[in-house]
Amino acid sequence: MPTSAHELPLELLRLDPALPDWVQTELLGGADAPAFDHARLHDPHVRPQTFLADAMVLYCDAEDIPVRGTVYEVQRGRDARKLGSWKLYVGHLETEFRVTASLVVFVPDPAVARWYRDQIAADTHSGARLSPRMFTADDVPLLPDVEQATARPASALFAATCHLDDADIDVMFPALLAALDALEPEKKIFYDDVTVGRLPQAARDRWEAFLMTTAVGRRYHYERYNEIDARGEARGEARGEARGEARGEARGEAKAVLLVLDSRGVPVPEAVRRRILECVDIDLLDLWLRRAATADDVDDVIRGHTGQA
């Protein structure tokens, strides 16, 4: 599982091997290229094995025969050796599969990208000239289109990772939610962590407020979002209490605990349900709510508190 900023764009490529084609044709306005039926990852090892590309993609027809290829690299720093190894990667792909291969390089830092472009422009003697489609985070626009995010979640997630610190990131919230919702549960949890989890605190607070405006019901594979829903509903009820504000807040927190447990399918005996609803200790209810998000049994939620709450 990726643990660095270098690996995240590659993990998104594994999610959708056609991502470099989207970059070339839509973001960078590339020339017409042969049509393909599907894209598949190819072993990025280039023999001799001391050379290893970040990723290689083959675009194939319906019979799985490659019609073109792409070497996809993520480059965060200046490394003159790449000017030679990139040629080797492209040459390997073209030689092995007898296709034309492009070179797509994501360079998050515009200054680093300019350095590479200057180095390539100055190379007038090499017998193999580089012509990479090099792009930076600034070249990736915000993608607020929900339909596009649903159809191509990797594109929306990639765009979000390039704009996490932008003041306008909120316009992508519906598309980001749609992209996450299009993924399998385990992938959804991971990509939520590496996108939403990296938002600045103020933006993350706005994201959670946005979630509370979406349709009511259990709709998140990630229990933290169901908990946010529960808190929103419960605290809305608490604010609506004309009298007994403290009791209203406690009642709302208690209902949040039960809502999370019910949404996760955890059985709650009637006696325990009454005990939770009658609890007026906000701190204790907050503890129970945090436990409810992961507990397999209601006893795990209220453990250590056997007396009257």
Side-chain angles (χ1 to χ4, degrees):
M1 188 165 286
T3 57
S4 70
H6 175 274
E7 288 298 311
L8 180 54
L10 299 176
E11 186 64 23
L12 288 168
L13 173 68
R14 296 179 189 110
L15 180 65
D16 181 1
L19 185 64
D21 187 66
W22 169 74
V23 171
Q24 294 180 93
T25 59
E26 297 191 30
L27 292 189
L28 304 180
D32 291 341
F36 66 96
D37 179 77
H38 63 277
R40 58 177 166 88
L41 289 174
H42 173 62
D43 179 4
H45 286 86
V46 176
R47 279 58 177 180
Q49 292 188 3
T50 51
F51 293 92
L52 176 65
D54 282 339
M56 289 183 175
V57 180
L58 293 171
Y59 304 98
C60 307
D61 62 18
E63 283 71 45
D64 201 37
I65 298 174
V67 296
R68 55 188 171 96
T70 293
V71 174
Y72 187 71
E73 289 274 294
V74 177
Q75 194 63 35
R76 302 188 63 83
R78 303 176 184 186
D79 185 351
R81 294 172 299 178
K82 287 293 183 181
L83 302 177
S85 60
W86 286 342
K87 298 173 186 177
L88 180 62
Y89 302 155
V90 172
H92 167 78
L93 205 57
E94 292 189 334
T95 301
E96 181 174 352
F97 295 98
R98 299 181 182 180
V99 296
T100 299
S102 58
L103 172 62
V104 178
V105 185
F106 176 49
V107 189
D109 186 344
V112 174
R114 284 194 298 271
W115 182 85
Y116 278 107
R117 291 188 179 108
D118 290 343
Q119 295 297 311
I120 292 170
D123 180 10
T124 59
H125 301 291
S126 174
R129 294 295 304 277
L130 282 171
S131 56
R133 307 306 305 278
M134 194 170 294
F135 70 111
T136 73
D138 292 340
D139 294 315
V140 182
L142 290 163
L143 297 177
D145 190 300
V146 172
E147 289 187 9
Q148 180 180 357
T150 302
R152 298 290 299 275
S155 301
L157 293 168
F158 187 69
T161 64
C162 291
H163 294 280
L164 294 176
D165 294 323
D166 287 15
D168 296 333
I169 187 63
D170 300 47
V171 302
M172 271 204 66
F173 283 175
L176 181 55
L177 181 58
L180 291 170
D181 200 44
L183 304 179
E184 297 176 356
E186 289 186 3
K187 290 185 180 295
K188 180 172 184 175
I189 292 171
F190 169 71
Y191 284 106
D192 178 273
D193 284 338
V194 297
T195 53
V196 175
R198 291 169 53 206
L199 286 170
Q201 185 60 53
R204 193 156 61 248
D205 290 343
R206 296 196 303 274
W207 166 260
E208 294 187 355
F210 159 75
L211 291 182
M212 294 181 192
T213 69
T214 57
V216 175
R218 174 177 166 77
R219 58 201 177 280
Y220 308 113
H221 296 297
Y222 201 1
E223 289 304 332
R224 182 165 62 85
Y225 289 172
N226 288 314
E227 178 182 327
I228 290 168
D229 274 347
R231 284 178 177 272
E233 178 182 326
R235 286 173 178 162
E237 177 180 321
R239 286 194 297 270
E241 292 286 339
R243 294 178 298 175
E245 182 176 345
R247 177 63 185 173
E249 183 178 357
R251 177 80 174 179
E253 289 287 316
K255 290 185 69 174
V257 174
L258 295 173
L259 182 60
V260 171
L261 290 171
D262 289 344
S263 70
R264 298 185 59 242
V266 178
V268 182
E270 187 58 35
V272 177
R273 186 177 296 271
R274 284 198 306 271
R275 178 183 170 194
I276 292 173
L277 288 172
E278 291 171 1
C279 181
V280 295
D281 186 331
I282 296 297
D283 291 337
L284 181 56
L285 287 166
D286 276 339
L287 173 63
W288 287 351
L289 184 55
R290 289 193 298 272
R291 289 175 176 175
T294 57
D296 295 322
D297 188 283
V298 72
D299 290 338
D300 292 335
V301 176
I302 62 174
R303 67 180 184 275
H305 299 275
T306 55
Q308 180 64 33

